[in-house]
Amino acid sequence: MKWDVAFFLRNYPREYRFQDKHYRMLDVDERHVESIRRHTSDRPAVGSFFAKPGSAELMAIILRVEADNKDDAIELGRHIVQGFIDGLALLRDRNLPSVCPLVEIRRGDEPNSVLIELAESGWAYFGHKHAASDTIWRSRCDMVFRALFPFFDIISQLHPRRNTSLARQLMYSMKMYRHGAGTGVFGLEYICKWSALEGLVCGSERHNKRGLLKQRIPQLFSNCQAQVEATVVKLWDLRNEAVHEARAFDSDHLHEAPLLGPQIEDVEFLFLTVVTFALARIEDANSVQTLWHDATSFQLPDWARKRPQDMPRMAVTNVTFNTDFELIGGGGLFDHAFANTAPPTEST
């Protein structure tokens, strides 16, 4: 089934526009913009995008795709537009175009179109199924908070061991973990959080990091070492694909890309375990290497072993809010775009 999909962008350089049989890049008529404004006045994200001054900076990428349904057409279109911007990053990596969270779509050659507001990929959070689970989890978080007191002392330059190599690595790893949590992109979150873990396990070691991770982390889990070792190996392999092959992003159109989002919780759990261990040994260990001497004697607190029994969050992608608006006569945008028979790669 044929679908026409329009994505609206700002700050796309006119000199780098191009086109082909199934896609066009063109200016958007002010009357069409005004129609969109009328339908989306109660949508802050969309309204702020179209309210910006300078209509000359606004353009549309119009795509003609084949898909079984509307959602698949939008997902394919989003993949293509993101790919165009990926390429443009080589030219404009400091000032990339912004893409409106609104798309316009029509089926076939219908005279009207539909406006749909999209959300970015992200986590969907769910409450615990049972009140007892929530109570247990809050208690666990209280214990984690208390365990972090030595780290807060290190950061505030009050801890007597604040200048050791181990203390510095803790600061590096915690900062990397925090930046991972703030990326909003699963692949980058995974890489950052794994790097934070690897730093506290391997430190400045340059060789056989896989072996060190396999050997050291399971020592903290006396009752399930084989299971933890298998998890570490799996996470390591995913890390290699994400870092060395740049396969950190999953998509229906990137068939070999690993699904990193669901694996992040395993990395988070192992990182918390190692941080708990490092802070408990901060008085005795000067470096990451000495930290792991006789790690098998460490008794991991019960609260550090706890993981959510329910599903506190799950990965969701390409969320479509139920904000569909029919734009009467909106099909004219697409008719105008594909009526242009200019040769491929010519600016419009």
Side-chain angles (χ1 to χ4, degrees), residues 131-148:
S133 297
D134 191 49
T135 301
I136 293 171
W137 193 247
R138 284 202 306 269
S139 176
R140 170 262 187 197
C141 289
D142 288 344
M143 298 302 293
V144 172
F145 175 60
R146 293 177 182 277
L148 287 170

Side-chain angles (χ1 to χ4, degrees), residues 2-5 18-25 61-66 80 84 334-346 348:
K2 183 182 74 173
W3 298 86
D4 290 336
V5 191
F18 56 95
Q19 65 180 34
D20 210 323
K21 180 180 179 182
H22 299 297
Y23 57 84
R24 297 283 192 271
M25 297 183 180
I61 297 181
I62 313 291
L63 303 162
R64 178 158 287 175
V65 300
E66 292 288 332
I80 294 170
F84 288 168
F334 305 104
D335 293 335
H336 168 72
F338 289 105
N340 180 358
T341 57
T345 74
E346 180 179 321
T348 58

Side-chain angles (χ1 to χ4, degrees), residues 25-37:
M25 297 183 180
L26 70 163
D27 297 328
V28 185
D29 186 272
E30 181 60 33
R31 289 171 297 179
H32 195 82
V33 174
E34 185 56 37
S35 296
I36 294 175
R37 288 196 186 108

